[in-house]
Amino acid sequence: MTELFAELDNPTFRLAVAQFDQAAEIMNLDRNLRQRLKLPQRSLIVTLPIRMDDGSINVFMGYRVQHDSARGPCKGGIRYHPEVNLGEVAALAMWMTWKCALAELPYGGAKGGVRVNPSRLSSGELERLTRRYAAEIFPLIGPDKDIPAPDVGTNAQIMAWMMDTYSQQMGYAVPGVMTGKPRSIGGSLGREEATGRGVVDVTLEAMRHLGLALDTATVAVQGFGNVGAHTARIMREAGMRVMAVSDKEGGLYNERGLDIPELLRRYRLDGHPSLRDTKMGDWITNQELLELNCTVLVPAALSEQITKRNAPRVRCRILAEGANGPTTLEADQILTDKGIFVIPDILANSGGVIVSYFEWVQDAQRFFWTEKNIQDRLHDIITAAFHRTLEFAKSTKTTMRMAALISGIDRVAKAHQVRGLYP
Ligand code: NAD
């Protein structure tokens, strides 16, 4: 397969394909469908020449990959990161397909990215890069075709520039082309915190299932961006003791629990957010954080953080995967052998795409819901997906990850079978 499509070959893509192969084998998936579902349906590579503030021109590489659209328009975030590449974007697009199917959302999977360190760009440079990227991927996207959203390194302002660029080309406002937008242009209440809220919803269900008490539960969160910060805040609001959080420099640790609201205030006040500068706990490395003795560990940064090297030292009771692909295949087996309850990424972090779906529905209807309505519907959908997955895992004696993957893949396979092969 890698000979077929060598451009995609990178560790994250290999991980996504290895997970798919395992699931496909267990479910005895049709051989022809396997070949198709391992590879993206469409991949677009774009070059983005951008005028920098000093007058020079830099060229950046951008990508948009649609993994599968059998069940509906494609959906998936846009990542700005210096290591973005086609294989990583293709892996993330594949996970989006299974994630949407698992939550029973009427979407296929996609992902996009630009190979850039956004913190090195001025606001003007970032806007020009974003608008050029949106213009270059214009043929692929649209509210009925492919709807991007924020991911690592992107935010609501970037979604607003993309929505505006798309709308300028169309000649009228098209709010439904992006989700994760600001409220003033059709964004949804509750979208920003949605992924974190979903992580907490499924963690609480897992704790109930395992008979773990809330008031003695401790939490460590790797990554303090959109997913990590909201997860830490909502875990604390739910009554858990958040002992450690981290960003790319390292982490803060306080055995008695970090004061998350105060930490968020200090972190955001700083123009160059740095956890270390908040001085609110002992300084630890990201590796130390992952190995803390805690009830719940939430990796909420990048992929391949828990590997065969550190997995033997991971000491949590529940691993709730806020990030996409944080656990390698070998590590997964080690965690299973240790009896750690893993809530896999395509389930644990699906709150983001669930509320993105709500945003898209609200934009189509031009009718907006209350925050309570959004939180309640998110809770209903994600906890139902959790229990379906748990029941399936129990009845087939498989892991939560395999149960989630098989459920997602099976829905996509059924859509392909009933639609047939064109031409
Ligand atoms: P973000 O850019 O807002 O935050 C990323 C965080 O990770 C930052 O705090 C950064 O400092 C930290 N980080 C970066 N490199 C690190 C490293 N090597 N070690 C430790 N920390 C590091 O991104 P985000 O939107 O919070 O996304 C985080 C993860 O969650 C990604 O895997 C993303 O694909 C996934 N995810 C995001 C959403 C969403 O709605 N934003 C939805 C589903 C899944």
Side-chain angles (χ1 to χ4, degrees):
M1 189 277 311
T2 46
E3 283 159 26
L4 234 177
F5 219 122
E7 290 86 342
L8 295 174
D9 190 25
N10 91 331
T12 317
F13 188 66
R14 262 178 266 146
L15 173 61
V17 170
Q19 289 178 348
F20 171 77
D21 280 339
Q22 264 193 6
E25 204 51 43
I26 296 173
M27 62 198 286
N28 198 20
L29 184 68
D30 177 86
R31 295 270 152 199
N32 297 322
L33 213 44
R34 280 192 212 193
Q35 283 189 52
R36 160 60 195 88
L37 291 177
K38 256 186 217 189
L39 296 170
Q41 180 177 337
R42 286 193 193 102
S43 309
L44 179 66
I45 303 179
V46 294
T47 43
L48 311 168
I50 304 304
R51 195 175 303 283
M52 309 305 280
D53 290 347
D54 65 4
S56 66
I57 291 175
N58 270 2
V59 178
F60 298 88
M61 297 300 294
Y63 309 89
R64 184 73 186 168
V65 173
Q66 297 175 342
H67 172 257
D68 190 78
S69 64
R71 298 181 62 259
C74 294
K75 186 90 192 76
I78 304 230
R79 180 172 287 196
Y80 283 5
H81 190 273
E83 278 148 37
V84 161
N85 58 61
L86 187 61
E88 180 187 70
V89 176
L92 292 162
M94 189 191 296
W95 284 323
M96 281 305 295
T97 303
W98 317 142
K99 191 183 300 183
C100 292
L102 178 66
E104 298 185 331
L105 306 180
Y107 290 136
K111 204 77 180 190
V114 178
R115 201 174 168 87
V116 62
N117 183 345
S119 65
R120 295 246 174 94
L121 300 188
S122 69
S123 172
E125 290 166 341
L126 197 58
E127 178 174 352
R128 291 193 289 282
L129 177 72
T130 299
R131 288 185 179 280
R132 184 61 186 250
Y133 173 64
E136 293 294 345
I137 65 166
F138 179 82
L140 287 199
I141 61 174
D144 294 319
K145 296 200 288 186
D146 181 353
I147 307 113
D151 190 70
V152 173
T154 57
N155 55 27
Q157 176 60 70
I158 289 174
M159 295 306 111
W161 288 326
M162 292 192 69
M163 175 272 187
D164 182 67
T165 306
Y166 184 88
S167 300
Q168 295 297 340
Q169 315 267 330
M170 298 301 287
Y172 54 91
V174 189
V177 66
M178 299 284 153
T179 59
K181 301 179 298 295
R183 286 262 294 134
S184 54
I185 52 169
S188 176
L189 289 169
R191 171 60 186 92
E192 200 199 291
E193 64 162 31
T195 310
R197 184 165 290 283
V199 170
V200 180
D201 281 346
V202 289
T203 301
L204 295 180
E205 294 304 307
M207 289 180 60
R208 235 166 261 138
H209 162 65
L210 297 169
L212 299 171
L214 259 184
D215 51 355
T216 50
T218 54
V219 183
V221 183
Q222 184 203 31
F224 205 60
N226 174 291
V227 180
H230 284 296
T231 299
R233 174 180 62 79
I234 302 169
M235 290 270 187
R236 186 176 187 270
E237 285 167 8
M240 292 188 251
R241 184 152 48 97
V242 181
M243 294 193 306
V245 298
S246 70
D247 61 17
K248 58 178 177 293
E249 294 171 353
L252 290 172
Y253 173 73
N254 182 339
E255 202 192 348
R256 282 171 287 124
L258 294 161
D259 180 348
I260 302 294
E262 174 61 16
L263 178 60
L264 279 167
R265 207 181 57 77
R266 290 196 202 174
Y267 192 64
R268 283 181 182 154
L269 274 181
D270 194 330
H272 299 280
S274 160
L275 282 174
R276 192 194 277 265
D277 293 347
T278 65
K279 302 189 174 62
M280 286 189 60
D282 298 334
W283 191 245
I284 58 172
T285 65
N286 265 292
Q287 272 319 309
E288 287 168 332
L289 180 139
L290 295 173
E291 295 169 17
L292 285 173
N293 192 358
C294 58
T295 316
V296 183
L297 174 64
V298 184
L302 299 175
S303 59
E304 293 125 61
Q305 297 299 300
I306 302 173
T307 64
K308 65 179 176 203
R309 277 191 294 283
N310 60 4
R313 293 188 299 279
V314 168
R315 288 183 289 162
C316 60
R317 187 72 192 81
I318 296 172
L319 181 76
E321 295 185 334
N324 286 306
T327 310
T328 67
L329 215 59
E330 299 94 333
D332 219 9
Q333 188 58 50
I334 298 170
L335 301 183
T336 304
D337 294 345
K338 290 176 71 151
I340 292 175
F341 188 85
V342 176
I343 313 175
D345 48 6
I346 61 168
L347 173 60
N349 70 33
S350 62
V353 71
I354 293 170
V355 178
S356 271
Y357 167 61
F358 297 164
E359 181 173 334
W360 180 73
V361 170
Q362 292 171 80
D363 287 339
Q365 298 183 332
R366 306 292 197 266
F367 178 74
F368 291 87
W369 309 349
T370 64
E371 189 154 16
K372 165 133 187 15
N373 209 330
I374 286 161
Q375 288 180 1
D376 289 350
R377 289 183 193 211
L378 165 62
H379 181 268
D380 289 350
I381 292 180
I382 203 165
T383 55
F386 175 88
H387 287 291
R388 279 197 306 272
T389 309
L390 183 63
E391 286 315 308
F392 187 55
K394 281 200 283 194
S395 66
T396 56
K397 297 197 172 32
T398 184
T399 62
M400 285 291 281
R401 187 183 314 283
M402 273 306 125
L405 283 167
I406 291 170
S407 306
I409 294 167
D410 185 52
R411 278 203 189 103
V412 177
K414 288 201 169 96
H416 275 273
Q417 274 147 5
V418 76
R419 284 184 61 160
L421 185 62
Y422 172 86

